[in-house]
């Protein structure tokens, strides 16, 4: 009887388990189809998850937070064209150089000849005057909420990065400096109140190595610190066949220390100090094209033969032939303090105080015996102070208001050390005027910029938001540029000094001041909880400047030719942001139009004796229009796919005093200038596309493997500002791959990865620019800065 009772009880329990299993299956199906209405068997609402999780990995795309509007927000809910890159993704793909960001970001071009000649363009605006010390960039760069006065300050190893955000379109009504094309916001990892320590070592082909160490953790309950040190080195990929030296390589090292004070939830203070240096031959000018052959004569080759030089005329060989020195030195660093107070009633007050410096010293001997050394040394110091007040959110109306001050003192010295055959190399006639002479042109500029800004959002109802913004900037710039009397010059040649650009000159005090407004009108509409549509109109201005890189043609044209008017941009945009398939798919798209007046650019104006010099001018009008598409999806567990593409039509609407390309400038009787109205803006590919994929899976209980890959495609473009056919950069695509294993051992872990950058060893160019400046002897020709060759390597990281 007891046995029978026991069997009956077992059968009853089995039926209950089967019923429970059937109910669980039904609930799982209901939860998948209607997650908001899933219920338990007792009728109570169940806790639902947007997507199932297995082994700690969610099928939904990872949610990120941005501070683009100086509030922590989901970028899918921000009615602005913004792209976010995580620090982990950058590390896995071995992206740590500024120029490599264009392989991941839409509508972005980084032009880099060497650290001083660096510029960033977004949507076709900004890649115009990278070597001009006297003007700001069209794209604002921020490091930990600190505006960087020049793109060159970001030409360093981007390590210990938390997140990078790219905002497109005119900016300035929310923070920092005013810009006309966009903002690249770089955020490093903050100190933690839990231990977050790591050491890392990488080795690779062509002598590549990188070492990095990070220590982060608490000192007590209110103070935490973070220290990161790094060093990177690699041999060059350009060979000087005259001596076998490898150029376009070198070393970088840096240190960054941070303190975080957080006594309670209402106050935090973050202190940062950093220093880095570079010693390299990066950006060595490679001969890209010798220009046209006219009546059977190529001026550049004819001159090379006369000087006894045999140039390498195939740029794809990554070779050059010269007997001079090539090197550069960069020293930079700074300190900042960011304080945040949470005030009563939900207000937040922020103060960011910062000081930075950037020093650059080059040695360029690639044109010996014409020039044994030339270049521009730069010392740049800046101070900035920003204060912002953010209102509480959750009501019908919220806003951010603030004030900004920026001071910059920059001094430079342009030097020309002419060689023993300088007269022949530049004019074709040996009069003994330039031979072994040194010409030095010092310059300086001081900037004071003051701004008030504010942006507000009116939440009209649950669907409509109206955002308006306004900024007023008053800026003063003063400076001077001069040219010293020539050193080692023969006094008997003094009558020729003016014609040869040697006579002493002083611009006197140069001054420019202007008021620059910026404005924003944005209307957004929430179609539903997963779809946001928006439209915006904006106006932005970039301050005027002074041409202080050498005296250029000021002795002929007058000192007023050194004054540059502000650049003004009007922009319109329509966009949509959407999430699908339970947040496993995101599709964002927009169309845009930007018109720029007084576009600032570097050109070449004819000087005496046929020598043209780089001159900073206002071009006239530029129009950029196009479309952008960004897709990110997670089709199956562990697999994340990303894709973005851009079409950009950037055109000069008026540019009637443009430099002539070699196909015109090298002809007999060539005009002093040409008309590029209606032609494409230089350095802007019509099409860019970036594809990425990452797959992660569990190998065992404590081992995960990941595989990542990316493909970056850029269409052809004319590299030089004169739009010469001889400066055409062909379209190219780059493939990068990596795989790695993460091994967890309690609270410690190892990460071993194998990777390759530029898998198929594609020969490509970061910039192409005109050289020779229309001299009578050489004519106009073109140099290039080459991209990275294939690098295969391995990285081992230990976290503890």
């Amino acid at each position: 009887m007891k046995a029978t009772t026991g069997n009956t009880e077992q059968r009853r329990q089995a039926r209950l388990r089967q019923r429970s299993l059937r109910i669980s299956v039904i609930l799982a199906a209901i939860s998948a189809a209607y997650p908001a209405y899933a219920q338990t068997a007792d009728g109570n609402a169940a806790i639902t998850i947007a997507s199932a999780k297995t082994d700690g990995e969610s099928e939904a795309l990872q949610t990120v937070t941005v501070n683009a509007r100086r509030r922590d927000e989901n970028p899918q809910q921000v009615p602005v064209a913004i792209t976010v890159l995580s620090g982990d993704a950058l590390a896995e793909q071995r992206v740590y150089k500024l120029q490599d960001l264009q392989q991941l970001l839409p509508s972005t071009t980084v032009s880099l000849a060497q650290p001083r000649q660096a510029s960033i363009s977004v949507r076709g605006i900004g890649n115009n005057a990278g070597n001009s010390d006297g003007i700001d960039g069209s794209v604002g760069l921020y490091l930990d909420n600190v505006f960087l006065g020049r793109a060159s300050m970001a030409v360093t190893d981007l390590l210990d990065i938390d997140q990078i955000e790219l905002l497109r379109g005119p900016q300035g009504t929310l923070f920092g400096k005013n810009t006309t094309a966009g903002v690249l916001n770089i955020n490093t990892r903050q100190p933690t109140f839990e231990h977050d320590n790591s050491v890392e070592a990488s080795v690779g082909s062509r002598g590549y190595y990188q070492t990095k160490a990070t220590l982060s953790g608490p000192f007590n309950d209110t103070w935490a610190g973070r220290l990161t040190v790094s060093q990177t080195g690699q041999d060059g990929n350009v060979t000087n066949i005259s001596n076998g030296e490898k150029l376009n390589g070198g070393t970088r090292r840096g240190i960054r220390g941070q303190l975080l004070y957080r006594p309670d939830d209402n106050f935090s203070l973050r202190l940062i100090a950093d220093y880095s240096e570079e010693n390299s031959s990066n950006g060595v000018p490679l001969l890209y094209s010798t220009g046209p052959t006219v009546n059977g004569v190529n001026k550049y080759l004819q001159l090379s033969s006369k000087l006894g030089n045999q140039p390498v005329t195939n740029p794809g060989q990554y070779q050059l032939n010269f007997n001079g020195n090539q090197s550069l030195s960069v020293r930079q660093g700074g300190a900042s303090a960011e304080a945040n107070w949470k005030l009563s009633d939900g207000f937040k007050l922020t103060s960011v105080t910062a000081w930075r410096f950037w020093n650059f010293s080059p040695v360029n001997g690639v044109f010996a015996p014409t020039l044994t050394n030339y270049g521009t040394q730069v010392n740049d110091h800046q101070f900035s102070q920003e204060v912002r007040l953010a209102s509480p959110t959750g009501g019908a109306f919220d806003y951010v208001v603030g004030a900004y001050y920026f001071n910059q003192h920059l001094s430079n010295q342009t030097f020309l050390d002419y060689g023993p055959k300088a007269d022949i190399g530049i004019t074709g006639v040996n009069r003994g005027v330039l031979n072994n002479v040194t010409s030095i042109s010092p310059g300086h500029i001081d900037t004071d910029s003051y701004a008030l800004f504010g942006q507000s959002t009116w939440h009209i109802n649950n669907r409509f938001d109206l955002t308006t913004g306004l900024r007023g900037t008053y800026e003063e710039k003063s400076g001077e540029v001069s040219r010293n009397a020539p050193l080692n010059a023969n006094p008997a040649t003094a009558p020729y000094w003016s014609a040869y650009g040697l006579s002493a000159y002083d611009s006197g005090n140069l001054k420019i001041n202007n008021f620059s407004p910026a404005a924003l009108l944005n209307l957004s509409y929430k179609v539903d909880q997963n779809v946001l549509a928006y439209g915006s109109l904006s106006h932005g201005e970039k301050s005027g400047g002074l041409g202080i890189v050498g005296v250029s043609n000021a002795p002929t044209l007058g000192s007023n030719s050194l004054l540059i008017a502000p650049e003004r941009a009007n922009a319109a945009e329509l966009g949509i942001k959407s999430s699908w398939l339970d947040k496993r798919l995101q599709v964002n798209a927009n169309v845009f139009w930007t018109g720029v007046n007084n576009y600032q650019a570097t050109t070449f104006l004819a000087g005496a004796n046929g020598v043209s010099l780089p001159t900073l001018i206002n071009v006239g009008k530029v129009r950029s229009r196009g479309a952008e598409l960004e897709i990110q999806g997670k089709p199956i567990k562990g697999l994340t796919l990303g894709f973005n593409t851009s079409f950009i039509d950037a055109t000069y609407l008026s540019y009637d005093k443009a430099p002539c390309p070699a196909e015109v400038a090298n002809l007999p009787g060539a005009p002093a200038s040409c008309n590029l109205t209606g032609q494409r803006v230089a350095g802007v590919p019509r099409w860019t596309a970036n594809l990425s994929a990452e797959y992660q899976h569990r190998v065992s209980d404590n081992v995960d493997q990941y595989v990542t890959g990316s493909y970056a495609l850029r269409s052809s473009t004319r590299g030089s500002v004169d739009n010469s056919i001889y400066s055409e950069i062909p379209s190219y695509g780059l493939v990068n791959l990596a795989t790695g294993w993460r091994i967890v051992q309690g609270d410690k872990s190892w990460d071993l990865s194998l990777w390759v950058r530029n898998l198929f060893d594609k020969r490509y160019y970061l910039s192409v620019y005109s050289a020779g400046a229309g001299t009578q002897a050489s004519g106009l020709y073109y140099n290039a800065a080459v991209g990275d060759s294939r690098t295969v390597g391995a990285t081992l990281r230990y976290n503890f």
Side-chain angles (χ1 to χ4, degrees):
M1 185 69 179
K2 291 182 179 179
T4 302
T5 303
N7 291 336
T8 301
E9 180 64 21
Q10 291 176 2
R11 288 194 295 271
R12 189 178 71 84
Q13 293 293 335
R15 286 195 300 270
L16 288 173
R17 286 194 297 270
Q18 291 174 358
R19 181 182 301 173
S20 178
L21 179 61
R22 287 194 295 270
I23 292 173
S24 298
V25 172
I26 293 171
L27 285 173
I30 294 174
S31 178
Y34 307 99
Y37 300 100
Q39 292 184 329
T40 59
D42 61 4
N44 294 323
I47 298 175
T48 61
I49 302 175
S51 55
K53 292 185 178 181
T54 305
D55 296 332
E57 180 68 26
S58 171
E59 289 183 1
L61 289 166
Q62 182 181 0
T63 300
V64 297
T65 300
V66 298
N67 198 241
R69 298 194 294 183
R70 290 311 180 244
R71 302 179 187 278
D72 293 336
E73 298 175 292
N74 183 335
Q76 288 299 104
Q77 302 301 318
V78 179
V80 175
I82 180 172
T83 301
V84 182
L85 302 175
S86 72
D88 290 339
L90 295 175
E92 288 175 359
Q93 299 185 43
R94 302 299 302 169
V95 174
Y96 61 91
K97 296 180 180 179
L98 180 70
Q99 59 267 34
D100 291 341
L101 293 179
Q102 67 181 10
Q103 300 176 27
L104 301 173
L105 295 170
S107 301
T108 301
T109 296
V110 179
S111 178
L112 181 65
Q114 35 97 327
R116 179 176 163 269
Q117 292 177 260
S119 63
I120 302 175
S121 73
V122 171
R123 293 178 171 176
I125 306 298
N127 191 13
N128 49 333
N131 63 341
S132 298
D133 296 328
I135 62 172
D136 300 330
S138 298
V139 178
L141 272 82
Y142 290 80
L143 177 63
D144 292 323
N145 296 325
V146 175
F147 174 76
L148 305 181
R150 58 190 303 144
S152 303
M153 290 181 172
V155 183
T156 185
D157 288 347
L158 303 177
L159 299 175
D160 205 28
I161 299 298
D162 180 44
Q163 190 166 277
I164 292 179
E165 305 160 3
L166 173 68
L167 288 76
R168 303 186 285 283
Q171 306 291 327
T173 61
L174 266 175
F175 59 90
K177 203 79 162 57
N178 43 324
T179 61
T180 53
V183 162
L184 186 66
N185 200 18
I186 303 171
N187 300 298
T188 64
R189 290 188 169 95
Q190 296 192 29
T192 56
F193 282 91
E194 295 181 355
H195 290 289
D196 179 21
N197 307 318
S198 65
V199 291
E200 179 181 307
S202 302
V203 294
S205 53
R206 292 191 293 113
Y208 173 84
Y209 72 90
Q210 185 177 84
T211 57
K212 186 180 71 171
T214 297
L215 297 176
S216 181
F219 299 112
N220 51 42
D221 292 340
T222 59
W223 284 93
R226 190 177 190 93
L227 178 67
T228 300
V229 295
S230 66
Q231 179 165 313
T232 305
Q234 188 169 25
D235 298 335
N237 59 346
V238 175
T239 303
N240 183 0
I241 62 175
S242 70
N243 57 16
E245 183 182 6
K246 292 292 185 179
L247 300 172
N248 208 45
T251 60
R252 290 175 176 169
R253 59 180 62 91
I255 182 171
R256 170 180 289 266
Q258 302 184 61
L259 292 174
L260 178 62
Y261 175 59
R262 187 178 294 161
D264 52 43
D265 293 337
N266 296 321
F267 178 76
S268 67
L269 174 65
R270 185 185 183 190
L271 304 174
I272 305 174
D274 67 272
Y275 172 80
S276 65
E277 58 185 39
E278 174 180 344
N279 296 288
S280 72
S281 57
N282 286 328
V284 59
L286 187 75
L287 179 62
Y288 190 74
S289 172
T290 61
T293 297
V294 180
N295 297 325
V297 177
N298 182 282
K299 282 189 172 184
Y300 182 88
L301 296 178
Q302 184 183 57
L303 175 64
S304 296
S305 176
K306 188 181 295 186
L307 295 176
N309 186 28
Q310 295 181 338
V312 179
T313 57
N314 180 2
Q317 293 180 335
Y318 278 20
Q319 294 180 344
L320 44 74
N321 183 16
F322 74 98
N323 59 2
N325 296 319
Q326 178 73 22
S327 65
L328 61 87
S329 170
V330 178
R331 303 289 185 269
Q332 66 170 314
S336 67
E338 178 177 338
N340 288 279
W341 292 268
K342 291 182 180 179
L343 307 178
S344 60
D345 298 326
F347 285 89
K348 181 181 178 181
L349 180 64
T350 299
S351 170
V352 182
T353 308
W355 167 82
R356 298 201 64 81
F357 73 93
W358 188 84
N359 297 331
F360 174 78
S361 181
V363 174
N364 298 303
V366 295
F367 299 118
T370 300
L371 283 169
T372 58
N373 193 13
Y374 75 98
T376 301
Q377 297 174 340
V378 180
N379 293 295
D380 190 352
H381 296 259
Q382 68 171 62
F383 172 82
S384 61
Q385 173 63 57
E386 181 173 357
V387 178
R388 293 191 310 271
L389 178 67
S391 72
T393 59
F397 185 80
D398 54 65
Y399 58 88
V400 174
V401 295
Y404 183 76
Y405 171 69
F406 179 79
N407 171 267
Q408 181 183 45
H409 174 76
L410 184 149
S411 61
N412 64 17
Q413 181 169 279
T414 300
F415 57 92
L416 295 167
D417 293 339
Y418 293 101
K421 297 182 179 181
D423 275 58
I424 295 176
I426 293 178
T427 68
V429 179
N430 188 8
R431 295 190 176 95
V433 180
L434 298 174
N435 297 340
N436 299 314
V437 170
T438 295
S439 178
I440 297 176
S441 297
H444 72 86
I445 184 171
D446 292 290
T447 301
D448 285 293
S449 180
Y450 311 84
L452 296 175
F453 55 85
Q455 183 167 306
S456 64
T457 299
W458 175 28
H459 307 284
I460 302 173
N461 54 39
N462 291 334
R463 293 182 180 270
F464 280 101
D465 286 346
L466 179 64
T467 299
T468 57
L470 191 64
R471 178 193 182 97
T473 301
Y474 177 76
E475 188 159 293
E476 293 182 347
K477 291 188 176 183
S478 61
E480 185 177 7
V481 62
S482 61
R483 182 168 59 208
N484 300 339
L487 301 176
N488 303 321
N490 183 352
T493 64
Y496 293 97
W497 288 359
S498 177
Y500 281 65
L502 290 179
S503 58
Y505 172 81
D506 193 324
S507 68
N509 185 42
L510 302 170
K511 189 172 183 178
I512 186 172
N513 57 76
N514 54 267
F515 175 78
S516 301
L520 170 70
L521 178 65
N522 179 289
L523 180 65
S524 63
Y525 174 69
K526 295 179 181 178
V527 180
D528 58 36
Q529 63 179 353
N530 294 315
V531 180
L532 176 70
Y534 66 92
S536 66
L537 298 173
S538 58
H539 173 82
E541 297 195 6
K542 180 161 74 81
S543 60
L546 306 177
I548 62 166
V549 183
V551 302
S552 186
N553 287 291
T556 302
L557 302 177
S559 60
N560 285 339
S561 66
L562 302 172
L563 306 180
I564 311 303
E567 179 179 289
R568 299 183 171 94
N570 296 309
E573 181 176 336
L574 292 174
I576 188 168
K577 296 186 174 185
S578 61
S579 298
W580 307 88
L581 303 178
D582 220 7
K583 300 190 184 300
R584 287 185 289 120
L585 175 66
Q586 290 179 358
V587 181
N588 300 338
N590 67 72
V591 293
F592 62 87
W593 175 94
T594 303
V596 183
N597 292 314
N598 289 332
Y599 189 61
Q600 298 169 346
T602 299
T603 186
F604 287 90
L605 298 180
N609 204 44
V611 178
S612 296
L613 297 174
T615 304
L616 193 61
I617 67 168
N618 292 107
V619 165
K621 295 182 179 180
V622 168
R623 180 198 63 209
S624 176
R625 58 188 178 183
E628 299 167 336
L629 174 66
E630 294 183 88
I631 302 174
Q632 190 174 20
K634 201 160 191 179
I636 61 174
K637 174 185 175 297
L639 177 62
T640 302
L641 302 176
F643 173 76
N644 66 65
T645 185
S646 305
F647 170 77
I648 302 174
D649 175 23
T651 305
Y652 295 114
L653 296 185
S654 64
Y655 194 4
D656 56 0
K657 292 184 179 181
C660 290
E663 52 267 32
V664 175
N666 290 5
L667 296 177
S673 64
C674 289
N675 191 344
L676 293 183
T677 300
Q679 296 195 31
R680 290 168 55 188
V681 174
V684 182
R686 282 188 180 272
W687 287 97
T688 61
N690 302 306
L691 176 66
S692 63
E694 180 184 30
Y695 180 67
Q696 299 189 35
H697 70 103
R698 180 62 53 86
V699 177
S700 63
D701 290 342
N702 67 330
V703 179
D704 290 333
Q705 184 182 10
Y706 58 90
V707 180
T708 68
S710 66
Y711 176 71
L713 175 67
R714 307 180 71 79
S715 65
S716 62
T717 184
R718 302 281 174 87
S720 177
V721 294
D722 57 28
N723 269 5
S724 171
I725 59 174
Y726 294 100
S727 70
E728 179 92 6
I729 301 177
S731 62
Y732 65 89
L734 301 176
V735 176
N736 308 306
L737 297 175
T739 185
W741 297 264
R742 296 189 182 95
I743 305 170
V744 179
Q745 297 175 327
D747 59 351
K748 303 175 178 62
S749 65
W750 294 86
D751 190 314
L752 172 64
S753 63
L754 307 175
W755 46 268
V756 55
R757 301 280 304 171
N758 191 2
L759 174 64
F760 299 108
D761 201 21
K762 182 67 177 179
R763 300 294 173 99
Y764 67 103
Y765 307 92
L766 295 172
S767 64
V768 174
Y769 50 96
S770 56
T775 61
Q776 291 180 349
S778 69
L780 196 62
Y781 60 97
Y782 299 92
N783 287 332
V786 306
D788 287 335
S789 300
R790 176 173 54 211
T791 304
V792 181
T795 299
L796 180 63
R797 177 186 176 99
Y798 178 56
N799 303 295
F800 60 97

